[in-house]
Amino acid sequence: MSSSRIEYSEKYADEENEYRHVILPKELAKELPKHRLLSESEWRRIGVQQSRGWQHYAIHRPEPHILLFRRPLGTDPQTGQIDPELKRLALEEYKGQFGLRGN
């Protein structure tokens, strides 16, 4: 399967996680398990390419070709581990975007 046909959303966040969704070609999605989440090795095997730390966390039942991913704020993209300083900076950025500084 060519990973060039896989589409990636921009990242978005809340106070705990950053998120993104990945849109697979519908013909590829037909071959995926229907009632369970994919492990990292499974989504990488089908051609999804993203940094470390992402977890397939939900099935979007109306459109099963859209995979929903999340990872904790402050995750180091090279190690997949949470870095306290990266987490602090990401939380500051999130609060700044929504005028929540000082909360």
Side-chain angles (χ1 to χ4, degrees):
M1 178 74 223
S2 170
S3 60
S4 65
R5 296 191 47 220
I6 296 174
E7 298 178 35
Y8 300 84
S9 74
E10 295 294 322
K11 292 183 262 185
Y12 44 100
D14 62 20
E15 289 187 18
E16 295 182 21
N17 295 293
E18 61 181 334
Y19 302 89
R20 80 170 343 158
H21 54 275
V22 175
I23 303 169
L24 302 174
K26 289 183 181 179
E27 60 273 11
L28 176 59
K30 291 176 185 176
E31 300 172 21
L32 299 178
K34 302 287 187 238
H35 303 289
R36 68 173 179 79
L37 301 174
L38 300 177
S39 68
E40 182 173 349
S41 62
E42 288 174 315
W43 54 258
R44 287 195 187 280
R45 192 171 25 251
I46 61 170
V48 174
Q49 298 177 356
Q50 51 190 354
S51 56
R52 295 180 184 261
W54 291 100
Q55 175 187 28
H56 181 212
Y57 77 96
I59 297 171
H60 186 55
R61 298 234 185 260
E63 298 178 292
H65 65 288
I66 299 176
L67 304 180
L68 304 174
F69 289 91
R70 71 176 173 204
R71 68 178 173 189
L73 284 181
T75 300
D76 182 311
Q78 294 192 342
T79 66
Q81 302 298 311
I82 298 171
D83 178 308
E85 181 62 10
L86 290 176
K87 182 174 183 173
R88 184 187 66 75
L89 293 171
L91 191 53
E92 277 184 20
E93 181 181 338
Y94 169 78
K95 288 181 175 183
Q97 288 175 349
F98 296 98
L100 302 172
R101 295 223 189 268
N103 292 340

